[in-house]
């Protein structure tokens, strides 16, 4: 607060102190030129004594500065265990996971939010096709004390089960979808996600049927009707369907992506024992599953999301918009973007050992898509 001599405290945004029109920087100890000799002013978070020498001393800072720091959750975060107080690391392994209980903001200020989606699974029976890589999203937000962030790092798929946080699953031998990574604010549901990085789609049955990349406003997809399509800003990716010949099961067994989840295969193909269709990656909207008949298709990638005014305008066309909890301007991101996993050197490497929380955008190591389990990183930038 701002404390004025001879008057009651008044609210301000900079938590400075003013006496007789002279402002006291919160980081200082002693200043001269004060008015009101002999007065004592006590504030909620600080106390000032004005002596006969017409000077005053800040006995307790009203807004103590805090150095930059980062929190990393993800697959390999334990490599930062020796970084000290500037870096908190929480290891998830390739399976991904969440930070239990969330992270409560107790230092108000601006925060940099970053998320990396997980890679999809390669075809696990005589592997022929690669899967899609995870995407990346970044943005800044001002957060006051008391807000709670829920951190979810997407999982790399295990066997037939989709990756943690929305990756689609398969029933036979196709590649499962990678999980999305996201940060949620003041609620732990898909409708509280302020930023999302899409997970990659699973690989298909032919070498050219590469799983769609995750991230970006639209997740990726391989060419051809049999391959699942990428999620968008308003809908899940369509499922791949083989529409000719004696293969009638796709429409019933292969699913499109939905809000937050990649498309899966409901049951094994009842007529074809070599079902090699892949599943979609998780994301803002998940990618669609690939066809399970004939040229078994690849899964589509999940889309990314950054909560900005422009993005909300696009999203308003979706039936999910009415349930979204973060429309208010206080939750909008600035300096935000979402990058798909195919962009050359399009994202920082979250495991760069030279990362400095004091210079979080001065990237050293970069990479083209994320090829492992997902990551979430939040970095305190300062009070404004």
């Amino acid at each position: 607060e701002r404390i004025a001599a001879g008057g009651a405290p008044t609210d301000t945004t900079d938590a400075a102190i003013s006496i007789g029109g002279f402002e006291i920087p919160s980081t200082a100890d002693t200043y001269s030129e004060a008015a009101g000799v002999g007065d004592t002013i006590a504030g909620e978070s600080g106390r000032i004594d004005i002596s006969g020498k017409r000077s005053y001393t800040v006995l307790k800072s009203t807004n103590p500065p805090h150095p930059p720091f980062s929190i990393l959750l993800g697959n390999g975060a334990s490599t930062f265990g020796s970084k000290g107080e500037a870096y908190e690391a929480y290891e998830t392994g390739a399976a991904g996971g969440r930070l239990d209980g969330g992270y409560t903001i107790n230092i108000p200020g601006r925060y940099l939010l970053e998320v990396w989606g997980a890679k999809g699974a390669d075809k696990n029976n005589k592997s022929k096709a690669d899967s899609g890589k995870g995407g990346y999203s970044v943005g800044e937000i001002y957060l006051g004390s008391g807000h709670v962030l829920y951190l979810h790092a997407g999982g790399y798929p295990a066997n037939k089960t989709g990756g943690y946080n929305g990756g689609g699953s398969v029933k036979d031998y196709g590649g499962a979808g990678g999980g999305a990574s996201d940060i949620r604010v003041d609620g732990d549901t898909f409708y509280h996600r302020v930023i999302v990085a899409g997970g990659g789609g699973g690989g298909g049955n032919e070498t050219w049927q590469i799983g769609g990349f995750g991230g970006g406003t639209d997740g990726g997809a391989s060419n051809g009707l049999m391959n699942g399509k990428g999620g968008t800003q308003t809908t899940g990716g369509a499922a791949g369907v083989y529409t000719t010949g004696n293969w009638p099961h796709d429409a019933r067994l292969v699913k499109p992506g939905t809000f937050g989840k990649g498309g899966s295969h409901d049951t094994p193909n009842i007529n074809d024992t070599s079902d090699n269709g892949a599943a979609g990656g998780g994301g803002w909207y998940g990618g669609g599953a690939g066809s399970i008949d004939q040229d078994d298709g690849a899964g589509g990638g999940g889309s990314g999301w950054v909560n900005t005014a422009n993005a909300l305008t696009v999203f308003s066309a979706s039936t999910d918009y009415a349930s979204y909890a973060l429309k208010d301007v206080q939750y909008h991101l600035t300096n935000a973007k979402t990058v798909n996993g195919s962009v050359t050197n399009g994202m920082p490497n979250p495991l760069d050992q030279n990362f400095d929380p004091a210079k979080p955008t001065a990237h050293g190591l970069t990479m083209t898509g994320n090829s492992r389990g997902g990551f979430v990183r939040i970095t305190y930038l300062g009070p404004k």
Side-chain angles (χ1 to χ4, degrees):
E1 8 176 61
R2 186 183 300 278
I3 304 174
T10 57
D11 290 337
T12 183
T13 58
D14 60 7
I17 295 173
S18 179
I19 299 179
F22 186 87
E23 188 170 277
I24 306 171
S26 62
T27 57
D29 291 324
T30 302
Y31 292 86
S32 59
E33 304 297 328
V37 177
D39 289 343
T40 295
I41 301 174
E44 179 179 328
S45 58
R47 177 185 172 92
I48 302 169
D49 287 342
I50 303 176
S51 71
K53 296 182 179 179
R54 302 186 63 82
S55 66
Y56 54 81
T57 301
V58 178
L59 303 180
K60 180 180 179 182
S61 174
T62 61
N63 185 21
H66 195 288
F69 64 90
S70 287
I71 296 171
L72 180 70
L73 172 77
N75 180 200
S78 60
T79 60
F80 289 93
S82 61
K83 293 291 183 179
E85 294 183 359
Y87 216 108
E88 295 181 29
Y90 299 91
E91 178 64 47
T92 64
R98 64 188 178 90
L99 184 65
D100 288 341
Y103 178 79
T104 300
I105 298 296
N106 54 34
I107 303 174
R110 291 201 65 78
Y111 287 80
L112 181 70
L113 309 182
E114 298 175 277
V115 285
W116 292 257
K119 188 177 189 290
D122 301 329
K123 183 172 173 291
N124 55 34
N125 179 33
K126 299 180 180 178
S127 181
K128 293 182 180 179
D130 197 3
S131 56
K133 295 180 180 180
Y136 170 74
S137 296
V138 59
E140 297 177 19
I141 188 171
Y142 179 87
L143 294 167
S145 297
H147 288 289
V148 182
L149 304 184
Y150 297 91
L151 315 183
H152 294 262
Y156 179 80
N159 298 318
K160 303 174 185 179
T161 302
Y164 172 77
N165 205 24
S169 299
V170 298
K171 292 297 183 180
D172 283 339
Y173 301 111
S181 295
D182 65 60
I183 298 174
R184 308 170 189 187
V185 184
D186 295 339
D188 198 7
T189 76
F190 282 158
Y191 293 103
H192 290 83
R193 295 178 295 171
V194 71
I195 189 168
V196 182
N205 191 37
E206 301 295 337
T207 56
W208 54 271
Q209 290 175 323
I210 298 172
F213 53 74
T217 54
D218 298 298
S222 287
N223 293 328
L225 291 175
M226 70 290 297
N227 298 309
K229 304 306 181 234
T232 73
Q233 297 296 280
T234 56
T235 61
V241 178
Y242 192 82
T243 57
T244 60
N246 298 316
W247 308 95
H249 310 297
D250 279 347
R252 181 159 48 91
L253 305 178
V254 181
K255 301 301 180 182
T258 58
F259 190 60
K261 297 182 179 181
S264 295
H265 296 165
D266 277 2
T267 62
N269 187 327
I270 57 178
N271 285 345
D272 180 4
T273 58
S274 60
D275 170 12
N276 297 314
W284 176 242
Y285 279 91
S291 167
I292 59 175
D293 292 322
Q294 286 276 8
D295 291 328
D296 307 301
S303 57
W305 170 257
V306 286
N307 189 35
T308 65
N310 289 339
L312 285 168
T313 298
V314 175
F315 180 43
S316 65
S318 168
T319 57
D320 293 300
Y321 178 78
S323 299
Y324 188 57
L326 305 182
K327 301 186 187 81
D328 191 87
V329 66
Q330 68 173 313
Y331 298 112
H332 291 187
L333 301 178
T334 59
N335 299 322
K337 64 179 179 179
T338 178
V339 180
N340 73 58
S342 72
V343 177
T344 302
N345 295 322
M347 60 188 71
N349 187 329
L351 298 181
D352 183 354
Q353 294 295 310
N354 292 319
F355 173 79
D356 183 358
K359 301 175 182 178
T361 60
H363 300 143
L365 297 179
T366 59
M367 59 188 191
T368 303
N370 183 34
S371 298
R372 54 194 299 155
F375 298 87
V376 176
R377 184 165 65 196
I378 62 175
T379 302
Y380 172 73
L381 299 176
K384 294 182 180 182

